[in-house]
Amino acid sequence: MRTILLLALLLSGTSLVAQMDLPPHFTRLLDSLDIRFTAPLDSDYRETLRHDNDYLIDDYAMASRREKLELRFHIRPETEGDRYYQLPHLAATTLAMNLSSNDEDAVTAVHSFGEEDLELFNADWARMYTFRPKRSFSDREQAQMVALYREGRGIAYTILLFDKAPDTLEGRQLSLRFR
C-alpha cells in the first residue's frame, strides 16, 4: 500500500515539474542522465544559493521554511576514467563518510532499499545514509543522503538536511528517480 501511495505521488507530481523553474545547468544535467525531478510544489520551497564547502558542490539546492527542510542535489555522470566507475557503493559510502560528523558520539546508519523501491527509483542500486553532518557542511542536526545509481548513466544524490524530521520527509526522499 505504501508503495502504491508513493507511486501515485510521483506520477501526480511529474506533470507539475514544468511549473517550477529549474536552472538550465541543472535541467541539462538531469536530462543527460535521464533523471526525473519531482518538485515539492505542495510547500514553500525556494531555490537557495549553492553552498561552498570542501566536501560537495551542489548542483541545485532548495529549502522550505514551513517544513524546515533543505534539499541539496548532486548529479555525477558515469565515466570510465572515474575512480568509482561502476562502484556506486564505494562512491556513496565515501561521500557519506566525508559529509558526516567526526564527533565521537556521531553515528551513521545505512538503509538498503528492496526490489520494489529499486523499481520505484528505476535504479540498479540505491542506499540511504542517515547521519549528523559536519558543521562546515550544514548547521542542521541531521542529514539523510539518498544515493541512486543506474549503470551507464551515473549516480544521483539527494541530501535532506533538517533538525527535526518533517512529516513530508519520506516523500522528499523521492525527489529524484531515473526514467
Side-chain angles (χ1 to χ4, degrees):
M1 181 68 175
R2 180 176 146 196
T3 302
I4 293 171
L5 290 174
L6 292 175
L7 186 59
L9 173 70
L10 282 173
L11 293 176
S12 67
T14 56
S15 62
L16 301 174
V17 173
Q19 295 178 8
M20 181 172 226
D21 291 329
L22 296 174
H25 76 278
F26 186 58
T27 302
R28 282 191 302 275
L29 208 51
L30 293 172
D31 289 344
S32 72
L33 271 67
D34 209 14
I35 295 175
R36 176 173 287 144
F37 174 76
T38 303
L41 297 175
D42 58 335
S43 192
D44 63 335
Y45 278 88
R46 299 286 182 254
E47 181 177 355
T48 60
L49 296 175
R50 296 192 304 182
H51 300 84
D52 290 330
N53 59 70
D54 295 334
Y55 308 105
L56 185 69
I57 298 171
D58 304 323
D59 292 313
Y60 184 65
M62 59 191 328
S64 167
R65 286 186 182 187
R66 184 175 5 174
E67 292 181 11
K68 297 179 181 156
L69 180 65
E70 182 180 353
L71 303 174
R72 298 185 192 180
F73 303 96
H74 181 71
I75 312 296
R76 185 177 194 138
E78 186 171 57
T79 58
E80 286 188 36
D82 188 336
R83 76 172 70 163
Y84 298 116
Y85 178 67
Q86 296 186 339
L87 300 170
H89 56 291
L90 292 178
T93 301
T94 300
L95 181 58
M97 294 302 107
N98 284 333
L99 298 179
S100 63
S101 173
N102 293 331
D103 293 343
E104 286 184 27
D105 63 340
V107 175
T108 298
V110 182
H111 172 76
S112 297
F113 292 102
E115 287 299 317
E116 281 185 13
D117 295 316
L118 288 176
E119 288 178 24
L120 183 63
F121 288 123
N122 202 18
D124 296 322
W125 178 91
R127 293 286 185 280
M128 182 171 63
Y129 301 80
T130 304
F131 54 90
R132 182 186 322 152
K134 283 183 170 73
R135 290 287 156 228
S136 56
F137 181 71
S138 174
D139 60 353
R140 300 294 182 134
E141 292 297 318
Q142 292 293 314
Q144 282 188 341
M145 182 180 81
V146 178
L148 308 174
Y149 171 76
R150 182 73 183 247
E151 188 175 342
R153 294 186 192 168
I155 192 163
Y157 299 100
T158 302
I159 301 168
L160 305 99
L161 300 159
F162 52 92
D163 291 326
K164 182 181 177 225
D167 295 336
T168 57
L169 186 66
E170 192 171 300
R172 303 305 180 226
Q173 295 165 350
L174 302 169
S175 296
L176 298 178
R177 71 183 178 114
F178 289 97
R179 293 179 200 201

